[in-house]
Amino acid sequence: MNIRWKPSVTVAAVVEREGRYLLVEEHTPEGLRLNNPAGHLDPGESPADGVARETLEETTHLFTPTGLVGIYLSRFERPAREGRPAEDITYLRFAFCGDLGEAIADRTLDTGIVRTLWLSPEEVRASVDRHRSPLVLRCIEDHLRGQRYPLDLIQTDPSVLQGPPPAP
């Protein structure tokens, strides 16, 4: 039997305000790490909808994507430990820039998120040993260079928005 390789699709928000970038500090199996507001694309949502949802969950702020910063492919290898098998995961990340709206008063940060931080590019570069992945800095550097693509570069067929079929 031939097994098809399937990368994990993630979405990330690259949010800049007054020369500082929004990051989240989160618990990971490797300890506390810094990341762009990001997460996995859920069934039944477009990448733009997914990044808006993830940003809200991880920061309590509304986020409206206005452009695509880039599409990134990255591999992560986690060694086996404490009775857990090794992991070899390839991520396909869609990174968006956009407008950060107001915080929603009754929302709390998603499980595992400790806090949000606004860091200068220099502070982001100086904290690279704490980044969840090399894509944290790469997305910010691409944003700093002015890399932007129109949102309509990504097309989501309406069949995707119907969500997964019901369980048998």
Side-chain angles (χ1 to χ4, degrees):
M1 182 160 110
N2 193 4
I3 297 175
R4 185 178 298 245
W5 170 73
K6 296 179 184 177
S8 293
V9 178
T10 62
V11 291
V14 180
V15 180
E16 181 270 334
R17 185 178 282 165
E18 297 177 7
R20 300 177 89 68
Y21 283 88
L22 177 62
L23 296 181
V24 297
E25 185 175 45
E26 61 186 337
H27 290 287
T28 74
E30 290 71 41
L32 279 177
R33 294 287 184 252
L34 299 173
N35 199 4
N36 313 99
H40 291 270
L41 185 65
D42 283 350
E45 68 185 358
S46 69
D49 290 341
V51 74
R53 175 189 51 77
E54 283 291 346
T55 304
L56 177 62
E57 291 174 356
E58 294 193 355
T59 71
T60 75
H61 285 264
L62 297 173
F63 178 74
T64 304
T66 58
L68 179 70
V69 175
I71 302 171
Y72 306 86
L73 199 60
S74 179
R75 184 174 175 195
F76 176 71
E77 296 177 272
R78 178 179 287 134
R81 63 178 174 184
E82 301 171 12
R84 297 179 71 169
E87 294 179 90
D88 187 350
I89 306 167
T90 299
Y91 291 101
L92 177 63
R93 175 186 265 206
F94 292 82
F96 295 88
C97 58
D99 298 323
L100 190 69
E102 296 299 315
I104 304 299
D106 61 340
R107 296 229 21 143
T108 58
L109 297 174
D110 204 8
T111 302
I113 304 296
V114 175
R115 63 184 173 145
T116 60
L117 302 138
W118 288 94
L119 301 178
S120 69
E122 295 77 19
E123 291 168 320
V124 174
R125 291 179 191 114
S127 64
V128 72
D129 59 321
R130 296 193 57 223
H131 293 181
R132 182 145 191 192
S133 89
L135 296 181
V136 174
L137 180 59
R138 175 66 191 268
C139 292
I140 289 173
E141 295 288 6
D142 287 349
H143 184 267
L144 282 164
R145 280 197 311 279
Q147 186 168 293
R148 313 281 192 283
Y149 301 97
L151 289 177
D152 64 4
L153 183 69
I154 304 170
Q155 295 295 313
T156 302
D157 188 82
S159 63
V160 171
L161 305 177
Q162 296 170 8

